[in-house]
Amino acid sequence: MTIPGFFKGTGMPAPGWWEALWPEPARVITAMGIEPGMTVVDLCSGDGWFTLQLARIARHVIAVDIDDMLMATSRTRLQEAGMINCTCVVADAYDLARVVGSPVDHVFLANVLHGVPDQRHLVRLVRDVLKPAGLFAVVNWHARPREQTVVLGEPRGPATELRMTPQQTIEAIEPAGLALQAQSEVSPYHYGLVFRRF
């Protein structure tokens, strides 16, 4: 099924290999600058694999995804863990300002930027919902051939031609008024970049 507004090459994978790829999601969250007391947006949150970890650290989490079935899975995951500090919203990522309402400390975006048709527009929307000095974290697949990103015996992730190098990601984000603060390896196949609003 094609969902209007669903970014190219960003569908949620089957849980088995997602969990194999991200066995320690809390480590990723910490590397991306999330700290206690923050209000965090999990943008394009999917089934909540990272949302739950965000909720365990942050003061409040706003999970945003366009797919109501994935959001239902996320809500169940959060309820089963007893997390009550998360607001789940079914919405288009381009409606971020309306969904968020007031400025936040952090926006987290994983496995999505490569498929966004107008990346600079989305990044400007992110910048506009951040508090001064707020953080924007992007987790992206390395720009390697898909055949080289094997999880549970099969090539995984977006098509090779969609993947972005760290430099391409930086070039898509910094012109919006966000400065690179940190870069790290967050899985065998992913890098993470943290930007600060100036």
Side-chain angles (χ1 to χ4, degrees):
M1 173 177 72
T2 301
I3 300 170
F6 207 86
F7 297 138
K8 187 175 181 180
T10 60
M12 197 73 201
W17 79 263
W18 199 237
E19 294 166 14
L21 181 60
W22 304 106
E24 298 179 84
R27 187 180 63 78
V28 178
I29 296 304
T30 302
M32 294 297 95
I34 284 82
E35 297 177 355
M38 286 183 165
T39 297
V40 179
V41 174
D42 187 2
L43 187 58
C44 304
S45 57
D47 70 0
W49 185 248
F50 287 114
T51 310
L52 176 58
Q53 302 306 321
L54 289 166
R56 286 179 168 153
I57 297 172
R59 182 180 62 80
H60 184 72
V61 177
I62 304 167
V64 181
D65 200 277
I66 199 166
D67 188 326
D68 56 351
M69 292 180 67
L70 289 176
M71 191 58 76
T73 301
S74 185
R75 284 188 183 104
T76 299
R77 190 187 300 277
L78 291 159
Q79 288 169 358
E80 288 176 351
M83 295 289 115
I84 60 170
N85 62 332
C86 188
T87 304
C88 296
V89 183
V90 176
D92 191 301
Y94 291 133
D95 290 334
L96 185 60
R98 177 186 60 79
V99 169
V100 171
S102 57
V104 299
D105 301 295
H106 198 296
V107 176
F108 176 81
L109 181 70
N111 303 299
V112 173
L113 189 65
H114 63 267
V116 178
D118 189 346
Q119 294 171 348
R120 291 196 175 175
H121 175 60
L122 183 64
V123 173
R124 284 191 298 271
L125 294 172
V126 168
R127 182 200 178 278
D128 289 347
V129 302
L130 287 172
K131 294 177 181 178
L135 301 178
F136 177 36
V138 176
V139 174
N140 261 352
W141 289 82
H142 273 293
R144 299 177 188 151
R146 190 170 190 268
E147 297 72 30
Q148 294 179 12
T149 54
V150 176
V151 181
L152 297 179
E154 293 183 30
R156 307 290 184 169
T160 302
E161 62 271 16
L162 289 176
R163 299 178 185 217
M164 302 170 69
T165 65
Q167 188 57 39
Q168 288 171 318
T169 302
I170 292 165
E171 289 169 3
I173 292 174
E174 286 197 324
L178 295 155
L180 181 66
Q181 297 294 294
Q183 178 173 342
S184 60
E185 297 297 309
V186 293
S187 90
Y189 305 134
H190 291 76
Y191 59 90
L193 301 173
V194 181
F195 299 84
R196 186 178 299 277
R197 176 179 173 171
F198 58 84

Coordinates of all heavy atoms in Angstrom, one line a residue, residues 90-135:
V90 N -0.8 11.0 14.6 CA -0.8 10.6 13.2 C -0.9 11.8 12.4 O -1.9 12.6 12.4 CB -2.0 9.6 12.9 CG1 -2.0 9.3 11.4 CG2 -1.9 8.4 13.7
A91 N 0.2 12.1 11.7 CA 0.3 13.4 10.9 C 1.4 13.3 9.9 O 2.3 12.5 10.0 CB 0.5 14.6 11.8
D92 N 1.3 14.1 8.9 CA 2.4 14.3 7.9 C 3.5 15.1 8.5 O 3.3 16.0 9.3 CB 1.8 15.1 6.7 CG 2.7 15.1 5.5 OD1 3.9 15.6 5.6 OD2 2.3 14.6 4.4
A93 N 4.7 14.7 8.2 CA 5.9 15.3 8.8 C 5.9 16.8 8.4 O 6.5 17.6 9.2 CB 7.2 14.7 8.3
Y94 N 5.4 17.2 7.3 CA 5.4 18.6 6.9 C 4.4 19.4 7.7 O 4.4 20.6 7.6 CB 5.0 18.7 5.4 CG 6.1 18.2 4.4 CD1 5.8 17.4 3.4 CD2 7.4 18.6 4.6 CE1 6.7 16.9 2.5 CE2 8.4 18.2 3.7 CZ 8.0 17.3 2.7 OH 9.0 16.9 1.8
D95 N 3.6 18.8 8.5 CA 2.7 19.5 9.4 C 3.3 19.6 10.8 O 2.6 19.8 11.8 CB 1.3 18.7 9.6 CG 0.5 18.8 8.3 OD1 0.7 19.8 7.5 OD2 -0.3 17.9 8.0
L96 N 4.6 19.6 10.9 CA 5.3 19.5 12.2 C 4.9 20.7 13.1 O 4.7 20.5 14.3 CB 6.8 19.5 12.0 CG 7.7 19.3 13.2 CD1 7.4 18.0 13.9 CD2 9.2 19.4 12.8
A97 N 4.9 21.9 12.6 CA 4.6 23.1 13.4 C 3.3 23.0 14.1 O 3.1 23.3 15.2 CB 4.8 24.4 12.6
R98 N 2.3 22.6 13.3 CA 0.9 22.5 13.9 C 0.9 21.4 14.9 O 0.2 21.5 16.0 CB -0.1 22.1 12.7 CG -1.5 21.9 13.2 CD -2.4 21.4 12.1 NE -2.0 20.2 11.5 CZ -2.2 19.0 12.0 NH1 -2.8 18.8 13.2 NH2 -1.8 17.9 11.4
V99 N 1.6 20.3 14.7 CA 1.5 19.1 15.6 C 2.2 19.5 16.9 O 1.7 19.2 18.0 CB 2.2 17.9 15.0 CG1 2.4 16.8 16.0 CG2 1.3 17.4 13.8
V100 N 3.4 20.1 16.8 CA 4.2 20.4 18.0 C 3.7 21.5 18.9 O 3.6 21.5 20.1 CB 5.7 20.6 17.6 CG1 6.5 21.1 18.8 CG2 6.2 19.4 17.0
G101 N 3.3 22.6 18.2 CA 2.7 23.7 19.0 C 3.6 24.7 19.6 O 3.7 25.8 19.2
S102 N 4.5 24.2 20.5 CA 5.5 25.1 21.1 C 6.9 24.5 21.0 O 7.0 23.3 20.7 CB 5.1 25.3 22.6 OG 5.1 24.1 23.3
P103 N 7.9 25.4 21.1 CA 9.3 24.9 20.8 C 9.7 23.8 21.7 O 9.3 23.6 22.8 CB 10.1 26.2 21.0 CG 9.2 27.3 20.8 CD 7.8 26.8 21.3
V104 N 10.5 22.9 21.1 CA 11.0 21.7 21.8 C 12.6 21.7 21.9 O 13.2 22.5 21.2 CB 10.6 20.4 21.0 CG1 9.0 20.3 21.0 CG2 11.1 20.3 19.6
D105 N 13.1 20.8 22.7 CA 14.5 20.8 22.9 C 15.3 20.0 21.8 O 16.4 20.2 21.5 CB 14.8 20.1 24.3 CG 14.2 20.9 25.4 OD1 14.6 22.0 25.6 OD2 13.3 20.3 26.1
H106 N 14.5 19.0 21.2 CA 15.2 18.0 20.4 C 14.3 17.4 19.4 O 13.1 17.1 19.7 CB 15.8 16.9 21.3 CG 16.9 16.1 20.6 ND1 16.6 15.3 19.5 CD2 18.2 15.9 21.0 CE1 17.8 14.7 19.2 NE2 18.7 15.0 20.1
V107 N 14.7 17.3 18.1 CA 14.0 16.5 17.1 C 14.9 15.4 16.7 O 16.0 15.6 16.3 CB 13.6 17.4 15.9 CG1 12.9 16.5 14.9 CG2 12.6 18.5 16.4
F108 N 14.3 14.1 16.7 CA 15.1 12.9 16.3 C 14.4 12.4 15.1 O 13.2 12.2 15.0 CB 15.0 11.9 17.5 CG 15.6 10.6 17.2 CD1 17.0 10.4 17.4 CD2 14.8 9.5 16.9 CE1 17.6 9.2 17.1 CE2 15.4 8.3 16.6 CZ 16.8 8.1 16.8
L109 N 15.3 12.1 14.1 CA 14.8 11.6 12.8 C 15.7 10.4 12.4 O 16.9 10.6 12.1 CB 14.8 12.7 11.7 CG 14.3 12.3 10.3 CD1 12.8 12.1 10.3 CD2 14.7 13.5 9.4
A110 N 15.2 9.2 12.3 CA 16.0 8.0 12.0 C 15.5 7.3 10.7 O 14.3 7.1 10.6 CB 16.0 7.1 13.1
N111 N 16.4 7.1 9.8 CA 16.2 6.2 8.6 C 15.1 6.8 7.7 O 14.4 6.1 7.0 CB 15.7 4.8 9.1 CG 16.7 4.1 9.9 OD1 17.8 3.9 9.6 ND2 16.3 3.9 11.2
V112 N 15.1 8.2 7.6 CA 14.1 8.8 6.8 C 14.6 9.9 5.8 O 14.1 10.0 4.7 CB 13.0 9.5 7.7 CG1 12.0 10.3 7.0 CG2 12.3 8.4 8.6
L113 N 15.6 10.6 6.2 CA 16.0 11.8 5.4 C 16.3 11.5 4.0 O 16.0 12.2 3.1 CB 17.1 12.5 6.1 CG 17.5 13.9 5.4 CD1 16.3 14.9 5.7 CD2 18.8 14.4 6.0
H114 N 16.8 10.3 3.7 CA 17.2 9.9 2.4 C 16.0 9.9 1.4 O 16.1 10.0 0.2 CB 17.8 8.5 2.4 CG 16.9 7.4 2.8 ND1 16.9 7.0 4.1 CD2 16.0 6.7 2.2 CE1 16.0 6.1 4.3 NE2 15.4 5.8 3.1
G115 N 14.8 9.7 2.0 CA 13.6 9.6 1.1 C 12.7 10.8 1.0 O 11.7 10.8 0.3
V116 N 13.1 11.9 1.7 CA 12.4 13.1 1.7 C 12.6 13.9 0.4 O 13.7 14.2 0.1 CB 12.8 14.0 2.9 CG1 12.0 15.3 2.9 CG2 12.5 13.3 4.2
P117 N 11.5 14.2 -0.4 CA 11.7 14.8 -1.7 C 12.2 16.2 -1.5 O 13.0 16.7 -2.4 CB 10.3 14.9 -2.3 CG 9.4 14.1 -1.4 CD 10.1 13.8 -0.1
D118 N 11.8 17.0 -0.5 CA 12.3 18.3 -0.3 C 12.9 18.4 1.1 O 12.3 18.8 2.0 CB 11.1 19.4 -0.4 CG 11.6 20.8 -0.4 OD1 12.8 21.1 -0.1 OD2 10.8 21.7 -0.8
Q119 N 14.2 18.0 1.1 CA 14.9 17.8 2.4 C 15.0 19.2 3.1 O 14.8 19.3 4.3 CB 16.2 17.2 2.2 CG 16.1 15.7 1.7 CD 17.4 15.1 1.3 OE1 18.4 15.8 1.2 NE2 17.4 13.8 1.1
R120 N 15.4 20.2 2.3 CA 15.6 21.5 2.9 C 14.4 22.1 3.5 O 14.4 22.8 4.6 CB 16.3 22.5 1.9 CG 17.7 22.0 1.6 CD 18.5 23.0 1.0 NE 19.9 22.5 0.8 CZ 20.9 23.2 0.2 NH1 20.6 24.4 -0.4 NH2 22.1 22.7 0.1
H121 N 13.2 21.9 2.9 CA 12.0 22.3 3.4 C 11.7 21.7 4.8 O 11.3 22.3 5.8 CB 10.8 22.1 2.5 CG 9.5 22.4 3.0 ND1 9.1 23.7 3.4 CD2 8.4 21.6 3.2 CE1 7.9 23.7 3.8 NE2 7.4 22.5 3.7
L122 N 11.9 20.3 4.8 CA 11.6 19.6 6.1 C 12.6 20.1 7.2 O 12.2 20.3 8.3 CB 11.8 18.1 5.9 CG 11.5 17.3 7.2 CD1 10.0 17.5 7.6 CD2 11.8 15.8 7.0
V123 N 13.8 20.3 6.8 CA 14.8 20.8 7.8 C 14.5 22.2 8.3 O 14.6 22.4 9.5 CB 16.2 20.7 7.2 CG1 17.2 21.4 8.2 CG2 16.6 19.3 6.9
R124 N 14.0 23.0 7.5 CA 13.5 24.4 7.9 C 12.4 24.2 8.9 O 12.3 25.0 9.9 CB 13.1 25.2 6.8 CG 14.3 25.8 6.0 CD 13.9 26.9 5.0 NE 13.0 26.4 4.0 CZ 13.4 25.9 2.8 NH1 14.6 25.8 2.5 NH2 12.4 25.5 2.0
L125 N 11.5 23.3 8.6 CA 10.3 23.1 9.6 C 10.9 22.6 10.9 O 10.4 23.0 12.0 CB 9.4 22.1 9.0 CG 8.6 22.5 7.7 CD1 7.8 21.3 7.1 CD2 7.7 23.7 8.0
V126 N 11.9 21.7 10.9 CA 12.5 21.2 12.1 C 13.1 22.4 12.9 O 12.9 22.5 14.1 CB 13.5 20.1 11.8 CG1 14.3 19.8 13.1 CG2 12.8 18.8 11.3
R127 N 13.9 23.2 12.2 CA 14.6 24.3 12.8 C 13.6 25.2 13.5 O 13.8 25.7 14.6 CB 15.4 25.1 11.8 CG 16.1 26.3 12.4 CD 16.5 27.3 11.4 NE 17.2 28.4 12.1 CZ 16.6 29.4 12.7 NH1 15.3 29.4 12.8 NH2 17.3 30.4 13.3
D128 N 12.4 25.4 12.8 CA 11.4 26.4 13.4 C 10.7 25.9 14.6 O 10.2 26.7 15.4 CB 10.4 26.7 12.3 CG 11.0 27.6 11.2 OD1 12.1 28.1 11.4 OD2 10.3 27.7 10.1
V129 N 10.7 24.6 14.9 CA 10.1 24.1 16.1 C 11.1 23.9 17.3 O 10.7 23.6 18.4 CB 9.3 22.8 15.9 CG1 8.2 23.0 14.8 CG2 10.2 21.6 15.6
L130 N 12.4 24.1 17.0 CA 13.4 24.0 18.0 C 13.5 25.2 18.8 O 13.5 26.4 18.3 CB 14.8 23.6 17.4 CG 14.9 22.2 16.8 CD1 16.3 22.2 16.1 CD2 14.9 21.2 17.9
K131 N 13.8 25.1 20.1 CA 14.2 26.2 21.0 C 15.5 26.7 20.5 O 16.3 26.0 19.9 CB 14.3 25.7 22.4 CG 13.0 25.3 23.1 CD 13.2 24.8 24.5 CE 11.9 24.3 25.1 NZ 12.2 23.8 26.5
P132 N 15.9 27.9 20.9 CA 17.3 28.4 20.6 C 18.3 27.4 21.2 O 18.1 26.9 22.4 CB 17.3 29.7 21.4 CG 15.9 30.2 21.4 CD 15.1 29.0 21.5
A133 N 19.3 27.0 20.4 CA 20.3 26.0 20.8 C 19.7 24.6 20.9 O 20.3 23.7 21.4 CB 21.0 26.3 22.1
G134 N 18.4 24.4 20.4 CA 17.9 23.0 20.4 C 18.6 22.1 19.4 O 19.3 22.6 18.5
L135 N 18.4 20.8 19.5 CA 19.2 19.9 18.8 C 18.3 19.1 17.8 O 17.1 18.8 18.0 CB 19.8 18.8 19.7 CG 20.8 19.4 20.8 CD1 21.3 18.2 21.7 CD2 21.9 20.1 20.1

